Amino acid sequence: MLLHRLTEYAARAEADDELPPPYYRPKRIQWILQLNADGTAAGFVDRRSAKGEKPLETTAPYAYRSGTMPPPYLMVDTAQYVLALPKQAPGKPVTERAVAEGRRRRDAYADFLLAWANAAPDDPYAEAVRTFVTTGVLHGLEVPEEMTAADNIALMAHDNTWLHLLPSVRQAWAAGVRSRKSGKNAAGLCLVCGKDGELLSTIPESIKSGAIPTGGRGRDAQLVSINASAQGRGGALQLVNTPVCERCGGRAMAALNLLLASDTNRRRATDSVTVWWTREPVDDLFGTLDTATDAAVARLLTSLHEHPDPATAERIDPNAYYSLTLGLNNARAVVLDWLDIPVGRLRNHLGAWFEHHRVYDGWNQSYRYFPLWRLALAAGRWDAKANKYVSGSAPKGLEQELLHAALTRGPVPARLLPHLLQRIRADRRVDPPRIALLRLALHPNRKDHQVTAPADRLDSTQLDPGYLCGRVFAILEAIQYAALPDVKATIGDKFFGTAMTAPAAVFKNLRLGANAHLKRLRRDNGAAYTALSRRLAEAFAAFDPHDGIPLLLTTEQQAKFVLGYEQQRAADFAAKAAHKKNKDQATNGAASEPA
């Protein structure tokens, strides 16, 4: 199914003239070898880019090569193939073996050029290339001192025509790859297109090095690779149990490499990459996860509220959406996730994602939505000195798991909640992105649209002991701050970690301490005293009279403690903002009245 969807995308890309020729991929060119009109002379043009300068890049022949005698590419290859420049390890002399291998590769390269020239006698550049090879011009070239064995050299005609882009060269190169990659006399039914044809023994194109992020060495990777009997069903090797014709195999990989090179259809994480596409063109749904603009989120929430049931939303927009997430294991690609769902259902899932994690900003009296990368970052370690999260400190693979939860409306990973609580205790930091993660982790069932999510703002009807303890702690902290605005270390700095795990151990002393703060407030600020003392009394009165303040809180109750704490603070900010607004309006109204 995956290869089938990729070939569908290849057809669309080909119609838009975006798909490269078969077995071509973008390459950086460091040197141009330009022939004169009759091929009797050639000279180098240095196209190495300076620092900050965009390098010269062109689509050029490519196929994965391995083994002891890797074959050359046609018209564009490295200096090792074009000029027999041997590989040299840093700080070590060139070995005789490397010199001999360089000569072998140059001879193979020359033979390939000559074979093309002989097979395309009507091509206007064939005679020049034949002369260039047969008269010793190629073998007599002097290697520039600055050139390395890994530099790419492209042949160019005297009139600045790229020889590797000639139609006859494309055909010759594709035919050469097919002969190498097709199975020996293998023909049969293709698993992808359902038609009889010549079947491949291996996938001819690999995923380009660097396209899949990895902490180790980047290298070309194979999407389908079975080269050991233990890996194949019945001990069969290569594509025996995965019959794919040459056309489908080549086009599927060309489409995948095109998506991996795209800036609009690709999302890179620390150790994985996700590409997405649709059956028909659609707006940038996937990008909303990382650029959560107010307008885009509003559209998704409107769609969610109009059709809260994913099954109904699916029928409204049946256009198909596909996403593929890949990781890397040495030279093999690992399919970490594959999603094939209608676009209508995806809109529902993304709308639910934003509604389930949004956080109320009391001061600005609005909701805040967070990009996926910022949520993942907030699960990492907070550096108080640098005033930011430490990059790379979030649990490995968490960003990918959050992405999967967003796209499928599934639960966030179970490991998130205890890890996040541990980080909150250690960092002593509670901020909106972490509250958003807690709301996601506390949701009882995100897949069921009839199940209510944890409240996104203060819920005065919530009687969970952890939630009530969080509210009480926020009020106690507010009382201290109102009485002692210049205090250096608040009760939050000293007791937050203990209060969120064993509230009974600290609440008694904190309540007694609040009496002194309230006494000072009654003397200095009567209005604040009245509001805060009433709020504190209401919060304590909400506890069960028989159970009282709990000795210990469970993991879920600890999360609700943090949620209650932050939502009480948001409600207090909202009250302050409303009071300030009313005060300003009264002042402005008095000033505008005639004397």
Side-chain angles (χ1 to χ4, degrees), residues 454-455 459-465 467-468 471 542 560:
D459 182 4
S460 58
T461 64
Q462 175 60 263
L463 299 180
D464 181 88
Y467 190 82
L468 293 176
R471 287 188 59 193
K560 290 180 178 177

Side-chain angles (χ1 to χ4, degrees), residues 411 439-448 451-454 556 560:
R439 286 198 67 221
L440 287 169
L442 286 173
H443 199 296
N445 186 355
R446 293 190 63 242
K447 282 187 176 296
D448 190 343
V451 175
T452 305
E556 184 175 327
K560 290 180 178 177

Side-chain angles (χ1 to χ4, degrees), residues 356 411-413 416-417 420-421 434-446 451-455 462 464 467 554-564 567:
H356 291 168
V412 296
L416 174 63
L417 186 56
L420 191 58
L421 292 173
R434 285 185 167 178
I435 294 298
L437 285 173
L438 286 179
R439 286 198 67 221
L440 287 169
L442 286 173
H443 199 296
N445 186 355
R446 293 190 63 242
V451 175
T452 305
Q462 175 60 263
D464 181 88
Y467 190 82
T554 64
T555 300
E556 184 175 327
Q557 288 173 334
Q558 291 177 34
K560 290 180 178 177
F561 175 98
V562 180
L563 201 60
Q567 291 184 346

